[in-house]
Amino acid sequence: MDTTEIIVTLTGLALAGFVIWYFFFSARQTASAVSSSSGVREVGITVKGGYSPDVIEVERGKPVQLSFYRDEENSCSEELLMPDFSIRRDLPAFKTTLVELLPQQAGTFPFTCGMGMLRGSLVVK
Amino acid sequence: MESTIKTETLDIEGMTCASCASFVEKSLTRTPGVQRAVVNFATEKATVDYLPAQASPATLKEAVVQAGYGVTERAPDTSAADRQAEIDEQKARAYAQLKRRFWVATGLAIVIMPLSMLMLWPAMMQRVNMQWLNYGLLLLTLPVLLYSGREFYTSAWNGFRHRAANMDTLIAVGTGAAFLYSLAATVVPGFFTSRGLMPEVYYDTTATIIALILLGKVLELRAKTQTSAAIKSLLGLQAKTARLVRPGGQEIDVPIEQVQLNDLIVVRPGEKVATDGILEEGHSAVDEAMLTGESLPVEKKIGDPVFGATLNKTGSFRFRVTKVGADTMLSQIVKLVEDAQGSRAPIQRLADKVSAIFVPTVVCIAILTFVLWFDLAPVEARLPLALVNFVAVLIIACPCALGLATPTAIMVSTGKGAEHGVLIRNAEALEKAYQVNTVLLDKTGTITRGEPAVTDFVPAAGQTASELLQIVAAVERQSEHPLAEAVVRYADAQQAQTIPATGFRAVEGRGATATVNGQAVLIGNFRLLDEAGIVLPAAVRQQADALLAQAKTVLYIAVAGQVAGLLGVADTVRDTSAAAIQRLQGMGIEVVMMTGDNPQTAAQVAAQVGITRYFAEVLPQDKAGKVKELQAEGRVVAMVGDGINDAPALAQADIGLAMGGGTDVAMEAAGITLMRSDLQGVVTAIELSRQTIRTIKQNLFFAFIYNTLGIPVAAGLLYPVFGWLLSPMLAAGAMALSSVSVLTNSLRLRSFSPLKN
């Protein structure tokens, strides 16, 4: 093995390690639903290549309003799926789409784009 | 996520400050049955949790009005239609833009390809300055990259920032690597030549991949719009205006949103019924196919319900509005189909798990492919080989076929079901229906019509049938007993003349008496005649016994103290039941019947429709137990029922099918609702689920096999054995075709039509 091969091998392994860490193990952005002045629990989510925040904590048995603002035109994020709540919504680009739901069971419920690539989760406590 | 508590969102009018909001909130909270009310001043919305048994949207509205504010009547169908129209417009724009980007990429790729091929002819290479050619290719490739392919790069970057990797990540990394390598070879060729490498460029690869992926996207988008066509056509059924009858009798056309409860609406022949209501004046035949799948027009007379979006065929009529907006049958169907399309089939779980880890895993495989090729290939070719295979792995592994496999099939089939009057609650119900091997039918109301009908009319010797029927009908028209109604229906069907009866008297538990044409008439059971001292002749008694042996109810008729005839009454089997049951049996499904009737009646009906196994004398509370009994035999049971007392059994069954005439409770407990009271719907539902699951399995197979075979080939696994390498351009072509083929396979479900005998 020459020096170039060693460098390429080590760089490759380091890159693969970084990819695994970055996509699977790094810390996620979490947000809790906050009560507005009138008492509705609201969470604003920006959709741009992913959901931010992508982990949303809500309380069980309390209605929550998720407002998804889609800040891009890329077709990957045009659909929102929350299968545990039987919700499929089109998210128009550069518009806010409201999703209201009443979580009645504790647990973690994923939400994804239409093809399941962009992912977030609703944590009901 | 089911509960008895319902949530309603009201649009509040007239709130000017935060204290208004709290005022409305208090008023709502005090309303009986309201569990919780939250009013948002900013959005002018009230979210109310209430018990449907104690409160309704109407009482909530009343509470808001009492507080001094208004509720904007929402017409969700229209707003849903509007919303859909806006989304459609945006999608059409995106599609047009995508096509432009595709054509730019294709046009340039067509020029770039032959120019890149020049290198294959040594004679040409001597005449052309390589350096200049490379710069030319770079200039041609830049628009492909920056205009046509820009979305891939921005999307990949946005995804990277969110620690999300999607198909764009693979395309961006793949084409990006090919381009950057080529850029380096163009700008600093000395770096390569000094190391004994040819400064090769891959502009053709970059441009062609982008053009091919865009082609895939164009075809995909076109096919995807067809998967949601069913919902769109359902929304399009909604009438836009209604012809309102003002209290003064004046008729005026108003937009459908302005129609309110209790309005009187007139519908003329050929017009759509504006919303749901009860017919008050006139009669007609109405085509309800769009809601029930029933192709024959349904006769409507005073007191019958009419539904929005159905088509009035013959007569003109007026109806009183009982439901508007989201409460109408059409809106509920749309909601149900939308919900089903948003749900997840258990079969999708594996695909979901794979999708979640797919892209980062593929990126790692691609990196390792690069490293291995770089380390193992001959020094002079190692960099190009490593690069080409790295790009091929990334491009071939695009997971969109996997992501499209299940949802597209579910979308098409739930829409198709609605078209045939089969409403599927969720994807899980669809998957369960596929596994069914036993169908348990509740007899009354499913196999049979669920209402008594005259099956035999036997005038005694010396009686004229038509005259006797007139006399009988004259008496029974005055009665409200269900058996009397059956007799009247029969007489009407025979077009018996209407004659008057006087002195009508109902005799509790026995029958009725009246005077017709000056003669005393008795109609009822044997006791009625017996107590009146009327003797049954032997011949009549024999005929009565024959009817009783067929498990029919016998009505005795006496005119002027003499027995004049008999009527046999029974719950009759629907015309379509036997054929549908035979069809189910032909599909390899055992059909079992359950009834509260005595074994004799049960045997009679079972024999009539070709059922061999049945449970008789089943009490309503034992119905669910019978389902369990069958499940204990290892069967996957579909229960078909229509009444409140069927709800526990519908819920206990692996899949419950509620019949159209059924109650809301039954529908709530069922996974599938049949809009039409006809067992053919059960056949359609099971057939549809079988075809859908078959399609999903094919889709998943293609998607998985494509990736599992595609990745190793792209990585060059076959190279040591056969010398095969996958060109990144071929990988792009295959990748574009994969999602299109999955979509096309799902769209085949659109041609589904239920098999009928």
Side-chain angles (χ1 to χ4, degrees), chain B residues 606-624:
Chain B
Q608 215 176 325
V609 294
I611 290 177
T612 47
R613 186 175 179 189
Y614 56 88
F615 303 117
E617 288 175 341
V618 181
L619 297 173
Q621 62 268 31
D622 297 337
K623 285 185 174 176

Side-chain angles (χ1 to χ4, degrees), chain B residues 469-512:
Chain B
L469 195 57
Q470 280 173 26
I471 295 170
V472 172
V475 180
E476 298 289 50
R477 274 184 216 284
Q478 317 248 346
S479 169
E480 283 174 356
H481 196 276
L483 288 178
E485 281 175 24
V487 175
V488 174
R489 267 201 306 275
Y490 177 74
D492 285 346
Q494 305 292 316
Q495 293 172 334
Q497 227 177 325
T498 309
I499 53 169
T502 53
F504 174 83
R505 192 168 62 88
V507 187
E508 187 69 29
R510 292 168 180 78

Side-chain angles (χ1 to χ4, degrees), chain A residues 1-2 5 9 12 22-23 26 38 40 42 48-49 52 63 74-75 88 90 92-93 95 102 105 117, chain B residues 1 3 7 36 38-40 86 90-91 151 155 159-160 162-163 168 217 341-342 344 359 367 375 382:
Chain A
M1 223 182 213
D2 62 23
E5 283 169 354
T9 309
Y22 188 75
F23 287 105
S26 62
S38 57
V40 173
E42 294 170 343
K48 191 177 184 181
S52 55
N74 176 22
S75 60
R88 174 187 291 271
D90 275 307
K95 290 235 162 69
L102 182 60
Q105 277 166 24
M117 301 306 301
Chain B
M1 287 271 137
S3 147
T7 305
R36 212 177 131 277
V38 175
V39 178
N40 185 334
E86 192 191 321
Q90 209 175 49
K91 280 190 176 165
E151 200 186 295
S155 163
F160 183 76
H162 285 95
R163 296 172 165 80
D168 292 342
K217 283 207 159 201
Q341 295 186 337
R344 174 176 41 200
V359 174
I367 292 171
D375 290 351
R382 65 186 183 183

Side-chain angles (χ1 to χ4, degrees), chain B residues 646-718:
Chain B
D646 293 327
L650 288 171
Q652 170 64 41
D654 295 288
I655 172 83
L657 292 97
M659 276 261 198
T663 58
D664 290 348
V665 182
M667 290 189 188
E668 198 67 36
I672 295 177
T673 300
L674 308 174
M675 297 299 291
R676 196 167 14 136
S677 298
D678 177 348
L679 282 183
Q680 178 60 42
V682 181
V683 180
T684 308
I686 294 179
E687 195 97 41
L688 181 63
S689 94
R690 286 188 176 185
Q691 285 203 21
T692 309
I693 302 299
R694 208 177 302 142
T695 304
I696 291 176
K697 283 186 173 170
Q698 288 162 353
N699 284 354
L700 287 176
F701 174 78
F702 283 127
F704 272 119
I705 200 83
Y706 165 81
N707 279 321
T708 23
L709 293 183
I711 295 175
V713 175
L717 212 66
L718 296 181

Side-chain angles (χ1 to χ4, degrees), chain B residues 256-393:
Chain B
I256 187 73
E257 300 82 33
Q258 289 178 20
V259 174
Q260 296 194 347
L261 292 182
N262 292 320
D263 278 350
L264 192 62
I265 307 282
V266 66
V267 188
R268 291 175 303 191
E271 285 182 347
K272 268 184 190 168
V273 178
T275 185
D276 295 5
I278 300 283
L279 198 143
E280 277 201 355
E281 260 183 74
H283 62 87
S284 183
V286 176
D287 178 3
E288 296 188 336
M290 54 297 289
L291 299 186
T292 63
E294 168 65 65
S295 51
L296 292 175
V298 183
E299 289 296 329
K300 297 282 178 182
K301 53 184 191 308
I302 293 169
D304 284 346
V306 290
F307 302 103
T310 58
L311 192 65
N312 182 24
K313 301 291 262 192
T314 51
S316 183
F317 65 86
R318 290 177 173 198
F319 72 95
R320 186 72 64 188
V321 174
T322 54
K323 278 170 184 170
V324 289
D327 297 332
T328 60
M329 182 77 93
L330 178 69
S331 299
Q332 289 186 348
I333 292 176
V334 170
K335 172 91 174 53
L336 212 74
V337 176
E338 276 181 344
D339 280 358
Q341 295 186 337
S343 67
R344 174 176 41 200
I347 197 171
Q348 199 182 339
R349 263 181 220 137
L350 180 62
D352 272 355
K353 276 190 190 146
V354 174
S355 294
I357 57 161
F358 197 81
V359 174
T361 310
V362 167
V363 173
C364 289
I365 293 175
I367 292 171
L368 295 180
T369 303
F370 185 95
V371 169
L372 282 173
W373 275 98
F374 192 89
D375 290 351
L376 301 177
V379 175
E380 62 282 4
R382 65 186 183 183
L383 193 53
L385 276 175
L387 182 79
V388 165
N389 290 310
F390 170 77
V391 175
V393 169

